[in-house]
Amino acid sequence: MMQFYKNRDFGTFISDSFGFFRLYGKNYFKNYILLNGLLLILMVVVVIFGYRELLMQIFGSNMSGNSSYLENYFEDNLGMFIAVGLLTFVLFVVLMIVNYLYPVFYLRRLAAGETKISMDDILTDFKNNAKKIGILCLGMIFIVTPPAFIVLGVSYALVLVLIGIPIMLFVFPTVMNIVNFLMYDVFNSKRGFFESLSYSIRAQFSYANGREKSPYWKYWGATLVLFIIMYVMNTIFTMIPMIIFFATMMTTEPDGNFEQNPFSGAMGILFFMLYGFSLLVSFFLSNLMYVNSGLIYYDSRRDLHQQVELAEIDTIGSNE
């Protein structure tokens, strides 16, 4: 059984993140699929068919040479686009809530000493914390997201003058850690939203007791390394459909039909099936980052470390 409330260094964060899935991966992903599976499938289906239809129309307009073709298509199907857009937005919001908070509730139960966690347990956590979830969502949308986008946007803009590349390497993992700490702290403490936000920022740079050196570098490093691992793996799965698509375009004899709309027919179906699979893979891989964020958060809770240590001492005394 993994100990959650303990001091970890940079290397331990990486090894324990993978070790978590060796210990709990089967049960974790079983509940994840039961809870999140239908939402993932609906999201992938909507994105794939919507994306396919849009690309087909873009290619059709380019090949026909009609400059107003695409504009007329949007005007004729405005209602469908609004409906699909709203459906995609709702699915995305619900999916993000479940996807982000599932690891929070799962790790909280494990840290409390539970060993067998069912989907009903996680659903109970969602129901019992509905008010907190609502406050968290509003706070994330109106308070956290605007300044985060500004900071990330400025950093990304500076990439054009090269200095933005190292800035992005520092800013992106730090912002990600603050957001993830906020989600964990809201449901693992009695603090309100603003208190948790304040703690999430302060905890990146110092421990609450103030006697230890700053944990910033190990938090930043662990998040950056896992982000790079996830990015490489996501890129591999994303590039497979593109490689197949361009290889087909280069090797297929011109017959007018494929060039006019390469996303139709069997090739188009295969391309978007592979694209949908890569999208699913990215959602599953994101759990590695969320679990790592949980381990980092538990490292910051030195107050709970002391409680666990005292409980272990009491247990030793009672067994003698």
Side-chain angles (χ1 to χ4, degrees), residues 3-10 12-13 16 107 111 181 184 199 203-209 212-220 222 291-306 309:
Q3 183 180 348
F4 289 89
Y5 295 108
K6 73 173 187 177
N7 301 340
R8 288 182 168 87
D9 56 25
F10 165 74
T12 309
F13 285 129
D16 281 1
L107 264 68
F181 263 51
Y184 273 95
Y199 173 80
Q204 303 305 312
F205 305 98
S206 64
Y207 288 110
N209 57 33
E212 302 174 75
K213 67 178 183 179
S214 172
Y216 176 79
W217 293 111
K218 66 177 182 179
Y219 291 176
W220 168 82
V291 168
N292 177 67
S293 297
L295 297 179
I296 293 175
Y297 171 77
Y298 290 135
D299 173 85
S300 74
R301 292 297 303 272
R302 291 301 203 239
D303 56 325
L304 295 179
H305 290 206
Q306 296 171 1
E309 290 168 359

Side-chain angles (χ1 to χ4, degrees), residues 304-320:
L304 295 179
H305 290 206
Q306 296 171 1
Q307 293 179 17
V308 171
E309 290 168 359
L310 290 173
E312 290 177 348
I313 292 173
D314 292 339
T315 302
I316 294 173
S318 64
N319 290 333
E320 292 180 349

